[in-house]
Amino acid sequence: MLRSCVFLLLLPICFFNTVSAGKVLAWPTDASHFLNLKIILEELAHKGHEVTLLAHSAIMIMGADNISSFKFENFSVPFPKEKNEKFLEEFLAFWIYDVPQMSYWKFYEETKKFVSEQLKTDKLVCDGVVKNELLLKKLKAEKFDVLVSDPLIPCGELIAELLGLPFVYSFRFSMGNSMERLCGQLPAPFSFVPGSMAELTDKLTFLERIKNMNFYIFQDILFHLIFGQFDAYFSEVLGRPTTLCEIMGKAEIWLIRTYWDFEYPRPLLPNFEFVGGLHCKPPKPLPEDMEKIAQSSGEHGIVVFSLGSMVKNLTDERSNVIASALSQLPQKVIWRYSGKRPATLGENTVLYDWIPQNDLLGHPKTKAFITHGGTNGIYEAIYHGVPMVGIPLFADQPDNIIHMKTKGMAVMLDINQMQSQDLLDAVNTVINDPSYKENAMRISQIHHDQPVKPLDRAVFWIEFVMRHKGAKHLRPASHDLTWYQYHCLDVIGFLLVCLLMVLFITIKIFSFCCRKCRPAKRKQKKH
Amino acid sequence: MLRSCVFLLLLPICFFNTVSAGKVLAWPTDASHFLNLKIILEELAHKGHEVTLLAHSAIMIMGADNISSFKFENFSVPFPKEKNEKFLEEFLAFWIYDVPQMSYWKFYEETKKFVSEQLKTDKLVCDGVVKNELLLKKLKAEKFDVLVSDPLIPCGELIAELLGLPFVYSFRFSMGNSMERLCGQLPAPFSFVPGSMAELTDKLTFLERIKNMNFYIFQDILFHLIFGQFDAYFSEVLGRPTTLCEIMGKAEIWLIRTYWDFEYPRPLLPNFEFVGGLHCKPPKPLPEDMEKIAQSSGEHGIVVFSLGSMVKNLTDERSNVIASALSQLPQKVIWRYSGKRPATLGENTVLYDWIPQNDLLGHPKTKAFITHGGTNGIYEAIYHGVPMVGIPLFADQPDNIIHMKTKGMAVMLDINQMQSQDLLDAVNTVINDPSYKENAMRISQIHHDQPVKPLDRAVFWIEFVMRHKGAKHLRPASHDLTWYQYHCLDVIGFLLVCLLMVLFITIKIFSFCCRKCRPAKRKQKKH
């Protein structure tokens, strides 16, 4: 045992190459998407690298402006922060209340409107760097080693291209994985890899496979229609004909913010690293009042409830349905909610504007987690092995909860349809049916049992790119193929034409021979 | 810097789960294939696990019978060791001298003969366990945690199935990767993933893509014709209808003995780990006589030459061509050769029956490595950053050398065609053109710069399977699909039929309307 420990201790000395302090440029995405990237950047700063954040004047919810370990390269954009916030609020309301009832086409029309508006904003933000010669010159002079970016909002890759920098993506997903597939060349056989947000599992019936294929095709069309608008912009900025996808395809490494505890097993590429849960940490002690609630909960324990950082409010009717259900639980409930206090709120339920979610989920008294199903929260529940009741609201949340439901550690409810009894039953089920806790612990063990921690893998590959000025040895040659070459359609077409020609010639020869033979026979008969 | 070190030292303590001593059963393949598996098993034994080797009475070149860290479970087979050795000799001669001139069809016919002979032997060996009730009972009573096997010779998976054990493969490759693709579900787009032994790179022209596709199809037919013979055998032993592929598909992890320093980047699966070079180690001091040769070589240094452990002999003509070339080198040459001493042997060349290859390649005086291109030797050259002259003989060796040539660290020669001048030029090129050394060092750095050493990753995943009784969370759902379902051919067919029906109905309605309209017009005209 001692020998094993010594061996394990020596391991990283032999194999982890250290990097002398380097310079990292980061292109952040706002809202909760930054939370993950922040952890990676903090770790890079902690390891001695100089991390510079490109931050525009209207950036939101970054939680990064108070981080002394980052340098900031600020630039202004011609719109106020409030415009961004208002847009996000409207977008959330659209997703939560309108999308569930929409047809594909209506969804496309409405999404296109929202996304076009967003893309206009994105281009204005991007202009702030790529059309700012002074800033570009300053950034060039800084001689960064790598750029780290979330590709959800295009621009990071364009800045990297302009500065001649290798870049690494930290990404959750694009709808239908269009970016990962079309630009990153990630293979996704339609037959068992459900498109992100298709709300399907990896066990597909015939009809589900039809749905999945249609979903992928629809998403790809959507991607071309919406993100295709960036092609001209990228071409204009770079002064040569190019596409968003071509530049995105130059990403050295894609750090995907999930892992096989959450994902269905699927084909991947050597430059895709699945680093889900990198933000999770062992719990810190709770604030005194929360610890008191936890300790007073007795054998029943506590339930933690949050709909995430982006949803502040619910309708009165919905909040009362929820509060009424919670009031009937034998557990104490800690609910992150900054909306109007519901009339039906029970004595066992305490509202907070903010909760230390990771610390609460890691508390031994915590029995269940009621969540909207954002990836960050789900990973905290996986990390600490807490079963979940998922009330997904928008974006990837329904899909996330379906993943957890398939793995047997969650029950899923519909925010618009559910009644108090449904929520009460769901919480009771995940707490009292032991299979949910068992599965949560099994998934948690899988999460913890990796050769290298997700955060260390993420940092390793960024440092790898810094050390080697890229990771070209991981880049598949498929980037140089057209889609029909990739699928060998030209080869299949050519072979089919050859086959048809051989068939045609054979038939011609055969019929020619037949014609030649028949008169001879007739002549013989005449004789 | 100190902080980084402390962090790195703490890393494995947090995340490497240790396994209490477990029991490992191993199904070895003989010849050089065992060399790699041996290293993994030794490491498992070193970590306190009890390793038991199933060894039949005619097993060859194992180099394992003197390893005290293994337990042996011996069983007898109804043929002598000499039969095995003679077969291997004939097979080698066929590959080296006959195959290069063969057509696909002739190759198929001859290979089928050899392989059928081999499979007959394999079944006899397998019988020694699976039809030996006493041995099976004994193995069952041992309560092993995992079986480790090289699938080149089927049987390990069958024993695992009989004993109800999870199993892990250690594998180099199958021809055209048929086993990995058809049984392991490894995706391989024909357009940029060259089939193993197709002697192609990942940059394929149109004609090469045709060649690659034909190669894959041909290999798959070959696989079904040859290995399909095991289907009935497996069904008979298990007492239910099954196939070799179905049982192979149950492998929890495939440890592939290459890495991205050697492989072209390609799609993979989460249960495929690329652990190439796991046998490489820092060099130990050379035996005194060899060290003397190295030191006496002056600034020119030494050249290491070996055609591997399986080739003992060359024709007089070939050995003289080689010796003559070597004699003209300014370097000293250490040649592993146990055949007749060539008449043209120079004073600078010393013959050895055996050489400590890894130690020689790691010696600072070593300038180049002349090799047959076996994966083990290639990885030692990669590990130590030594440029190569490849003289491939058979099996995967031409393919291996093409990989290294593409990476810019090798020159390739044809054993049957090359003249002394060619060999001389090749060695001079890789020594005097600095790009070869630079590329060798670049590839070597990529090899060394991994988050976890290959051997530790291999051991980690075997221990993972022991800890969790499998790794089902990494198993893609494609295992449950037929080939046409996998490729969505049923969905595409269905959608095409729907499309045709819509077209047909539209045309019918249109022509019906036309018919209805025309008489009306005529009637109007008549009025």
Side-chain angles (χ1 to χ4, degrees), chain A residues 27 126 147 149-150 153-161 167 169 234:
Chain A
W27 178 255
C126 200
L147 183 142
S149 159
D150 185 325
I153 308 290
C155 196
E157 52 290 287
L158 184 58
I159 297 168
E161 184 75 6
F167 62 99
Y169 279 144
F234 273 47

Side-chain angles (χ1 to χ4, degrees), chain B residues 364-379:
Chain B
K365 285 279 182 190
T366 301
K367 300 291 175 192
F369 179 33
I370 310 175
T371 173
H372 63 306
T375 321
N376 288 337
I378 282 194
Y379 260 103

Side-chain angles (χ1 to χ4, degrees), chain A residues 3 46 191 449 468 486, chain B residues 3 46 191 449 467-468 486:
Chain A
R3 201 175 50 180
H46 177 75
S191 50
D449 205 357
H468 299 266
Y486 182 100
Chain B
R3 201 176 49 181
H46 176 75
S191 49
D449 205 357
R467 278 192 291 272
H468 300 265
Y486 183 100

Side-chain angles (χ1 to χ4, degrees), chain A residues 416-436:
Chain A
N416 294 314
Q417 306 290 328
M418 72 171 184
Q419 295 308 315
S420 290
Q421 193 60 42
D422 302 325
L423 180 55
L424 183 63
D425 290 347
V427 178
N428 279 329
T429 302
V430 301
I431 292 178
N432 299 326
D433 177 343
S435 74
Y436 287 89

Side-chain angles (χ1 to χ4, degrees), chain B residues 434-455:
Chain B
S435 74
Y436 286 90
K437 182 68 185 174
E438 280 161 24
N439 285 322
M441 289 311 294
R442 183 177 54 79
I443 299 293
S444 185
Q445 279 163 12
I446 285 171
H447 178 82
H448 286 280
D449 205 357
Q450 301 181 43
V452 179
K453 278 203 291 185
L455 179 57

Side-chain angles (χ1 to χ4, degrees), chain B residues 166-180:
Chain B
F167 62 98
V168 173
Y169 279 144
S170 161
F171 199 26
R172 171 61 186 95
F173 76 103
S174 62
M175 271 189 79
N177 307 110
S178 301
M179 278 183 179
E180 301 92 305

Side-chain angles (χ1 to χ4, degrees), chain A residues 3 7-8 12 15-17 46 191 209 265-266 268 270 449 451-453 456 467-468 473 485-486 490, chain B residues 3 7-8 12 15-17 46 191 209 265-266 268 448-449 451-453 456 467-468 473 485-486 490:
Chain A
R3 201 175 50 180
F7 161 72
L8 288 174
F15 252 75
F16 268 77
N17 282 303
H46 177 75
S191 50
R209 280 188 285 124
R266 56 163 293 153
L268 62 150
D449 205 357
V452 180
K453 279 203 290 183
D456 296 320
R467 278 193 290 272
H468 299 266
H473 71 294
Q485 285 173 331
Y486 182 100
D490 53 346
Chain B
R3 201 176 49 181
F7 162 73
L8 290 173
F15 253 74
F16 268 78
N17 282 305
H46 176 75
S191 49
R209 280 188 285 123
R266 54 163 295 153
L268 62 151
H448 286 280
D449 205 357
V452 179
K453 278 203 291 185
D456 296 321
R467 278 192 291 272
H468 300 265
H473 71 294
Q485 285 173 331
Y486 183 100
D490 52 348

